[in-house]
Every structure is written in structure tokens, then in C-alpha cells.
């Protein structure tokens, strides 16, 4: 799986600085940066400020808000000096990313009030790409970052955006900086870091399209799995998520999650929705565990956490889970999570496939159906 971290941040900053250094003799303050209301000089200063702010969030383990500091430039700092600060803050962020454990999350407002180290790396790289584009456009320079990296950013931070043949052009469109044939202009956008739902011993960590593609291809998705994982049901669900992403119907909050132990950061299973809530507000959950993790109550804990989160949404009236009649272990898990057996079918469609613990289909398909209402 291609990762986003310190090395990729340094590469992005180096590419931007190399281009902008060719125009340091120009007046950046009198030139507007692309479609932005900012001038080129202020935009470059903003990039440096963002890089050090992200480093501060991770280094300070900030969870409630932004660390209250900012950088200022000495009076008389020229354009070359601004680029020197950008290089320095890029190094600071890269070093912080390398020193930050995977499980650390720090405050960022969009959309779920936190991001992990890869999320901050992805946002930083995107900031560098986009604002370098803005400055270059204002100064009449040509700039295009690597297409492969742009595709990584889209799959990490823009899971709701259907990918296109030109990732850089798609990223510009998704952030209100360009047009794509057949798609309405974007006038407002936000970062889409993955959702993490806390439980007692676990965290349920939302799987991005980038991680899903790796899981579906036989990789680890960026997670540290216990021996024997991930289970095939998780890989199948990840494959369905990728298909939904590629067709533009993926909805991240109603996708796939990995069950991660708090004590050691190791992944023990997968859980997820079979799709968005239907017209009656019903949604179905499927899950599985790595065989070595069974018998510890993880499935029950994960099912309680995800169903509780779902029932906290205004659009959800009930959560359903189904299982084979002979799967008494799964039936016990579902009942312990508070579900009651009902007659009738399950919610159809979605991104989470069959699993060892709970699959698709209702009782009419030879399965027992259970429901939990808010």
C-alpha cells in the first residue's frame, strides 16, 4: 500500500519550492493567487503556517482544538525567505509524522474532529499542491504534481468523489479550482478524514478507498493485523467499497470499519454497513473476526458501538443483522448486543459483503434476522 508520510510531504514541498524559486524576483504581493482572494505572497506564507500548525497538532497531541500559536515573518523577509520558511516547516512536519505512532489522532474540525498522521500528511500535501497551483497561476508558471500522488490524495481525503482519468484535474475540480465535463462546479468543499468510533477496548476505524483497495488486493490496508488476519469477509467488503468509490456512490460514514484494539493498536476484525439507510430508515450491519480474536467479546463490543452510532443519526430508525440458523455463536453475539429476532428480510444492497459472523439476506433466504431500534 502506498503510504502518505514525511517523505511524501518533503517531496511535495521540494517540488513546489523548486518551481516558485524561479520567480522570487517578481512582486508577489501585487498578484492575486489564481481564483483565490489572496495575493501570491500571503498564499505562500499560509502554506508555511499550515505545515507548522499540523506539526503542532500531532506533536502536542491536541484533541480539543488548535494549538494556540502561529508563525510570523521578520520584517523585510523577501520571497526567498518565505520559501526558506516553507522548506523548514515542511521538514518539521515530516519529522513529526515520522515520530508519531499510527494510533495517535489529533484535532482537526472536518468532518469528525480528528485525523491521524496519514490524514495530516495528506492534508499537508494537498495544501502544498493546491496553493502552489494558485501561486503559479497568478505568476504565469506551469505546475502539475505527480498524477499518482493526486490519486492517493483523492482516495484518502475525497472518498465521496468519483475518480476520473486525470487525478490532478479531478483534485482541482473537487476543491473548486477547475471544471470537469458532466460535473457541476464545486463552490464549497471540506476535508473528509475517516470516521473513528470509540468503544471500550476497541476503536472502529473507517476504511478509506485507498486502504480498501489494498485490502481487496491481499494487503493489510495499513493496519497491523493479528496473526491470521484480515478475514476474507473483510477483504470482500473492501472490494465492494472500492467498486462503490469507482462508481461515485460510496458514502464513507456508511462503509467499512476495522476493529482495532486500544491496548496494542492491532486489528482483530472488520465491521460495516451493507449500505446507506433505506427509505424507511433501516440499515444492516455485517462483521467478522480473525479466528484468533474470537471468544473475547470483540464482536459484541463492535456491534454495540456501530449500531449505537447508527441509531444516533436522524435518518436511522432501526439496525438489522442476519445470520445462518446453524451459526449459534453469531446469534449469541447479536443477542448480547441488544438485538431481538424478527421475521422478514434484510436491507438490500450496500458495500459490506457476506461475513463469517453475519451475512446478507433475510429469513426468507434461510437466515435469521435480528433488529435493534433506537
Amino acid at each position: 500500500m502506498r503510504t502518505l508520510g514525511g517523505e511524501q510531504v518533503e517531496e511535495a514541498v521540494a517540488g513546489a519550492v523548486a518551481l516558485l524559486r524561479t520567480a522570487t524576483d517578481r512582486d508577489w504581493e501585487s498578484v492575486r493567487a489564481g481564483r483565490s482572494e489572496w495575493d501570491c505572497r500571503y498564499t505562500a506564507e499560509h502554506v508555511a503556517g499550515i505545515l507548522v500548525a499540523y506539526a503542532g497538532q500531532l506533536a502536542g497531541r491536541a484533541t480539543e482544538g488548535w494549538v494556540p500559536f502561529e508563525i510570523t515573518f521578520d520584517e523585510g523577509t523577501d520571497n526567498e525567505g518565505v520559501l526558506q520558511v516553507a522548506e523548514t516547516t515542511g521538514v518539521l512536519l515530516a519529522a513529526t509524522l515520522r515520530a508519531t505512532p499510527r494510533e495517535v489522532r489529533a484535532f482537526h474540525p472536518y468532518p469528525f474532529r480528528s485525523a491521524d498522521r496519514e490524514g495530516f500528511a495528506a492534508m499537508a500535501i494537498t495544501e502544498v499542491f493546491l496553493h502552489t497551483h494558485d501561486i503559479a497561476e497568478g505568476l504565469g508558471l506551469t505546475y502539475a504534481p505527480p498524477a499518482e500522488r493526486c490519486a492517493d490524495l483523492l482516495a484518502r481525503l475525497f472518498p465521496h468523489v468519483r475518480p476520473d482519468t486525470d487525478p490532478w484535474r479531478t483534485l482541482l475540480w473537487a476543491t473548486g479550482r477547475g471544471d470537469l465535463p458532466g460535473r457541476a462546479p464545486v463552490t464549497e468543499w471540506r476535508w473528509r478524514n475517516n470516521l473513528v468510533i470509540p468503544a471500550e477496548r476497541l476503536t472502529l476505524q473507517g476504511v478509506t478507498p485507498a486502504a480498501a483497495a489494498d485490502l481487496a488486493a491481499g494487503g493489510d490496508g495499513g493496519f497491523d493485523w493479528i496473526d491470521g488476519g484480515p478475514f476474507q469477509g473483510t477483504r470482500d467488503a473492501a472490494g465492494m467499497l472500492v467498486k462503490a468509490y469507482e462508481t461515485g456512490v460510496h458514502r464513507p460514514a456508511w462503509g467499512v470499519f476495522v476493529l482495532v484494539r486500544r491496548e496494542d493498536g492491532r486489528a482483530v476484525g472488520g465491521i460495516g454497513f451493507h449500505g446507506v439507510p433505506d427509505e424507511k430508515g433501516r440499515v444492516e450491519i455485517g462483521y467478522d473476526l480473525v479466528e484468533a480474536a474470537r471468544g473475547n467479546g470483540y464482536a459484541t463490543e463492535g456491534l454495540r458501538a456501530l449500531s449505537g452510532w447508527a441509531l444516533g443519526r436522524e435518518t436511522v430508525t432501526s439496525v438489522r443483522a442476519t445470520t445462518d440458523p446453524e451459526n449459534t455463536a453469531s446469534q449469541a453475539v447479536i443477542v448480547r448486543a441488544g438485538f431481538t429476532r424478527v421475521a422478514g428480510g434484510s436491507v438490500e444492497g450496500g458495500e459490506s459483503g457476506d461475513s463469517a459472523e453475519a451475512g446478507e439476506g433475510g429469513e426468507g433466504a434461510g437466515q435469521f434476522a435480528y433488529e435493534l431500534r433506537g
Side-chain angles (χ1 to χ4, degrees):
M1 177 180 175
R2 294 197 301 265
T3 59
L4 295 173
E7 180 180 349
Q8 291 71 36
V9 168
E10 289 175 326
E11 289 175 353
V13 173
V17 169
L19 174 68
L20 298 181
R21 234 176 216 135
T22 65
T24 52
D25 59 338
R26 306 266 296 276
D27 179 4
W28 289 9
E29 292 184 79
S30 64
V31 179
R32 181 170 151 177
R35 302 185 184 187
S36 169
E37 295 299 322
W38 299 342
D39 63 55
C40 292
R41 164 73 178 229
Y42 180 82
T43 303
E45 292 180 356
H46 170 76
V47 171
I50 282 291
L51 294 174
V52 76
Y54 287 173
Q57 291 303 98
L58 288 171
R61 304 295 194 265
T63 58
E64 299 301 323
W66 293 101
V67 176
F69 78 101
E70 63 181 4
I71 61 171
T72 58
F73 290 76
D74 291 342
E75 186 176 350
T77 299
D78 58 11
N79 294 336
E80 174 59 36
V82 174
L83 294 182
Q84 182 182 9
V85 175
E87 287 179 309
T88 302
T89 54
V91 171
L92 289 173
L93 176 57
T96 304
L97 290 167
R98 293 185 178 106
T100 301
R102 184 195 179 281
E103 292 304 302
V104 169
R105 296 187 73 85
F107 172 83
H108 190 281
Y110 305 119
F112 304 113
R113 299 184 66 79
S114 74
D116 60 11
R117 66 185 185 191
E118 186 174 7
F120 277 103
M123 289 187 291
I125 295 167
T126 307
E127 291 273 7
V128 172
F129 284 179
L130 295 178
H131 290 307
T132 301
H133 163 269
D134 296 341
I135 298 171
E137 191 172 68
L139 296 175
L141 304 174
T142 299
Y143 176 71
E148 184 178 75
R149 187 70 65 232
C150 295
D152 292 339
L153 298 174
L154 287 165
R156 179 61 175 78
L157 292 174
F158 299 87
H160 58 296
V161 172
R162 175 169 55 85
D164 204 275
T165 55
D166 187 336
W168 174 227
R169 189 177 179 186
T170 304
L171 184 59
L172 291 175
W173 169 81
T175 55
R177 289 171 167 83
D179 302 311
L180 279 180
R183 303 200 200 187
V186 173
T187 57
E188 184 177 352
W189 65 277
R190 291 282 185 265
W191 303 115
R192 296 289 183 95
N193 282 292
N194 65 322
L195 171 63
V196 174
I197 300 173
E200 183 180 353
R201 297 170 298 163
L202 306 169
T203 56
L204 283 62
Q205 300 186 15
V207 174
T208 66
D214 188 64
L215 283 168
D220 58 19
F223 296 91
D224 181 16
W225 293 86
I226 65 171
D227 292 344
F231 199 75
Q232 188 59 43
T234 297
R235 295 196 187 281
D236 292 343
M240 298 181 75
L241 187 157
V242 172
K243 291 180 181 178
Y245 170 62
E246 291 175 343
T247 55
V249 298
H250 174 51
R251 298 296 175 263
W254 302 103
V256 180
F257 298 78
V258 168
L259 302 172
V260 179
R261 290 192 304 218
R262 288 180 181 270
E263 65 181 41
D264 58 6
R266 304 200 70 187
V268 298
I271 191 168
F273 298 103
H274 286 193
V276 300
D278 67 11
E279 67 281 357
K280 294 182 179 179
R282 301 174 301 183
V283 68
E284 185 172 354
I285 292 178
Y287 58 94
D288 63 27
L289 287 180
V290 178
E291 189 171 352
R294 296 175 186 175
N296 296 291
Y298 294 142
T300 301
E301 183 176 329
L303 187 55
R304 283 174 178 161
L306 191 59
S307 58
W309 181 88
L311 289 171
R313 309 307 103 189
E314 292 183 0
T315 56
V316 176
T317 58
S318 66
V319 180
R320 182 165 289 199
T322 60
T323 186
D324 294 329
E326 64 272 16
N327 195 343
T328 56
S330 184
Q331 293 165 32
V333 166
I334 296 170
V335 171
R336 283 197 298 271
F339 287 68
T340 302
R341 185 178 168 188
V342 296
S346 67
V347 180
E348 297 180 354
E351 298 171 18
S352 180
D354 293 337
S355 70
E357 302 286 349
E360 296 182 70
E363 293 198 8
Q367 293 187 317
F368 290 166
Y370 295 79
E371 190 175 59
L372 180 65
R373 291 183 171 272

